[in-house]
Amino acid sequence: MKRHSLPVAAAFAAATLLLTACGGGDDNGKAADEITGADQRTETPTKSAEPSGAPAADKPDGVDVSLPSDMNLVFNWEKPKDKNEAAAMSDAANFFRAIYRGVDKRTTEDAALVAYSTGDGLKYAKTQIDARLEGDWTATGTRRHYQATTRSAPNGNSVEVAFCVDSSKFYSKEVKSGKVLKGTPSLTDFDYFKVIMVKLPTGDDLWQASKVYVETKAAKCQ
């Protein structure tokens, strides 16, 4: 599909956050916000996890992250042995579920968004949702997340979750007409994300997305 005025991404190497939305096709409309990264060391995930459009329970941490049946987020990635990294990876998935739950519910105030994001991560999420609200679009199809790795900060309170996204079968849909907006499949369907997850000090095993870096047209994800 085409990125009808949806915010798109930028180079994390330049410490510039460009806000991206799903789907393939043309890159239209860009928004940037300067942020900084996190000092981290490399860890390699080892244990397989089942792909899933939603958690086994729709309310992890007591928060509803359920999605409509035609909005399928699939996570084909491996679960790390490290407990913190595994929890951070799980909540990174919940962060994206929260974004598209907001798209479906037509709000940036859903409880899931507040639960799984903070700071620039929350700003990113709201920008994604607002773009679809302004365009009067929702989303439909399958968005696949894969080739995930994790990196932990020395203090153990920050984990980077990096992964590829294939949105070639994930489309915008006009809310009023129900028309699905599709375009010619291309490299713009593939993005590479780095999400900085931070541990909530007052929450048991709850991690929040604090920063989001995206590389669009990511050939390494094809």
Side-chain angles (χ1 to χ4, degrees):
M1 62 164 244
K2 295 186 177 181
R3 300 180 188 246
H4 299 266
S5 300
L6 297 182
V8 291
F12 51 81
T16 300
L17 174 65
L18 291 175
L19 306 175
T20 187
C22 75
D26 299 332
D27 289 333
N28 297 322
K30 296 185 178 181
D33 184 27
E34 302 247 339
I35 60 174
T36 57
D39 180 25
Q40 298 166 329
R41 60 182 175 81
T42 301
E43 296 288 343
T44 304
T46 58
K47 194 175 181 180
S48 295
E50 293 297 322
S52 174
D58 284 338
K59 293 185 178 182
D61 305 301
V63 181
D64 193 348
V65 292
S66 60
L67 296 171
S69 59
D70 69 332
M71 195 183 290
N72 190 26
L73 305 188
V74 176
F75 297 90
N76 282 109
W77 56 26
E78 296 181 336
K79 186 176 181 180
K81 288 183 178 180
D82 181 86
K83 179 182 177 181
N84 281 346
E85 293 184 1
M89 178 179 279
S90 177
D91 284 347
N94 288 331
F95 168 61
F96 284 95
R97 294 183 182 109
I99 290 175
Y100 287 101
R101 178 175 172 81
V103 169
D104 176 56
K105 299 300 182 182
R106 320 305 293 164
T107 180
T108 59
E109 304 300 326
D110 191 80
L113 209 61
V114 177
Y116 294 110
S117 60
T118 187
D120 286 316
L122 180 58
K123 182 177 181 180
Y124 168 86
K126 288 186 174 182
T127 300
Q128 298 304 295
I129 297 169
D130 282 338
R132 291 187 175 277
L133 295 182
E134 291 170 7
D136 203 24
W137 305 310
T138 183
T140 187
T142 299
R143 186 178 197 256
R144 191 166 66 91
H145 310 70
Y146 53 101
Q147 294 180 11
T149 59
T150 53
R151 298 195 301 174
S152 295
N155 63 11
N157 292 326
S158 175
V159 174
E160 175 192 273
V161 182
F163 53 92
C164 288
V165 171
D166 175 3
S167 299
S168 60
K169 296 181 180 179
F170 199 54
Y171 314 107
S172 283
K173 183 173 71 172
E174 294 179 352
V175 173
K176 291 182 180 179
S177 69
K179 179 181 179 181
V180 177
L181 307 176
K182 295 184 179 182
T184 303
S186 71
L187 185 58
T188 59
D189 294 326
F190 297 90
D191 300 309
Y192 183 70
F193 279 77
K194 286 188 176 183
V195 181
I196 308 302
M197 303 296 295
V198 294
K199 191 171 185 179
L200 185 67
T202 58
D204 294 333
D205 297 323
L206 177 62
W207 293 74
Q208 297 176 310
S210 65
K211 299 182 187 297
V212 180
Y213 300 89
V214 194
E215 176 187 350
T216 56
K217 299 181 181 179
K220 61 188 172 185
C221 291
Q222 285 186 309

